[in-house]
């Protein structure tokens, strides 16, 4: 899904610090697209989304919900890694990247359901909602349904109950699958 324009993008300040652009990856005909925040260190090295610690946790969550990477497409709202994973310090990226890269990918893949993982992705469809509120939200955009979810990295960084956070994410994934069947 990468293009020469995407790989050479200098539309926001993240181009100054990134290692590489990390385009979406997966089944180009997926019924479900998962949208995260931004690449982490491992994603920046490998050039693929969700391959670091949060990605490994995401794979386990997908499996618990009965899905595999072969069935889905995964991308981020921003395609370049922010220093120290602090995307909130780069509002220009949050404003410019989704219309340039995310929205066209969603138009190409044509998913029936999008799972917005975490506060940053959730804000695109559910403005003003906190991360924990996302896991109970769903919305019909007219083009696809959007299900809110915690981000897989939440279970890695929050000092709470990892099993409860994983269970919440698995419930959101299962909800997305149920919406496909409806």
């Amino acid at each position: 899904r990468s293009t020469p324009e995407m790989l050479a993008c200098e539309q926001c300040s993240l181009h100054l610090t990134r290692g590489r652009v990390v385009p979406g990856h997966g089944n180009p005909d997926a019924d479900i697209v998962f949208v995260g925040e931004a690449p982490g260190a491992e994603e920046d090295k490998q050039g693929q989304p969700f391959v670091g610690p949060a990605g490994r946790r995401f794979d386990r969550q997908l499996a618990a919900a009965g899905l595999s990477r072969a069935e889905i497409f995964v991308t981020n709202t921003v395609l370049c890694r922010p220093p120290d994973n602090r995307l909130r310090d780069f509002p220009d990226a949050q404003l410019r990247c989704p219309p340039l890269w995310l929205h066209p990918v969603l138009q190409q893949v044509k998913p029936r359901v999008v799972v917005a993982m975490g506060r940053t992705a959730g804000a695109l469809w559910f403005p003003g909602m906190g991360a924990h509120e996302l896991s109970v939200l769903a919305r019909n955009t007219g083009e696809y349904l959007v299900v809110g979810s915690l981000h897989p990295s939440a279970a890695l960084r929050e000092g709470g109950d990892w099993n409860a956070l994983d269970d919440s994410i698995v419930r959101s994934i299962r909800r997305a699958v149920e919406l496909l069947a409806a």
Side-chain angles (χ1 to χ4, degrees), residues 3-82:
T3 64
E5 296 83 15
M6 179 187 291
L7 299 176
C9 181
E10 295 183 357
Q11 294 295 312
C12 76
S13 56
L14 286 177
H15 82 277
L16 298 169
T17 59
R18 71 176 179 232
R20 63 174 66 191
V21 173
V22 180
H25 186 264
N27 182 340
D29 298 313
D31 284 329
I32 301 177
V33 171
F34 289 83
V35 179
E37 180 175 291
E42 196 60 35
E43 290 79 9
D44 191 53
K45 286 180 194 169
Q46 294 187 39
Q48 286 191 10
F50 288 87
V51 294
R56 289 188 290 279
R57 191 157 209 101
F58 177 59
D59 288 340
R60 289 193 297 273
Q61 294 158 347
L62 281 174
L67 288 177
S68 71
R69 290 270 187 138
E71 300 172 84
I72 66 166
F73 193 88
V74 184
T75 191
N76 285 297
T77 60
V78 172
L79 304 185
C80 298
R81 180 178 186 240

Side-chain angles (χ1 to χ4, degrees), residues 97-133:
C97 204
L100 283 172
W101 311 121
L102 175 61
H103 298 282
V105 164
L106 293 175
Q107 290 173 344
Q108 288 175 342
V109 175
K110 294 181 178 42
R112 294 176 42 214
V113 179
V114 169
V115 179
M117 298 188 297
R119 186 178 306 138
T120 301
L124 296 173
W125 294 281
F126 308 107
M129 293 292 150
H132 289 282
E133 296 169 300

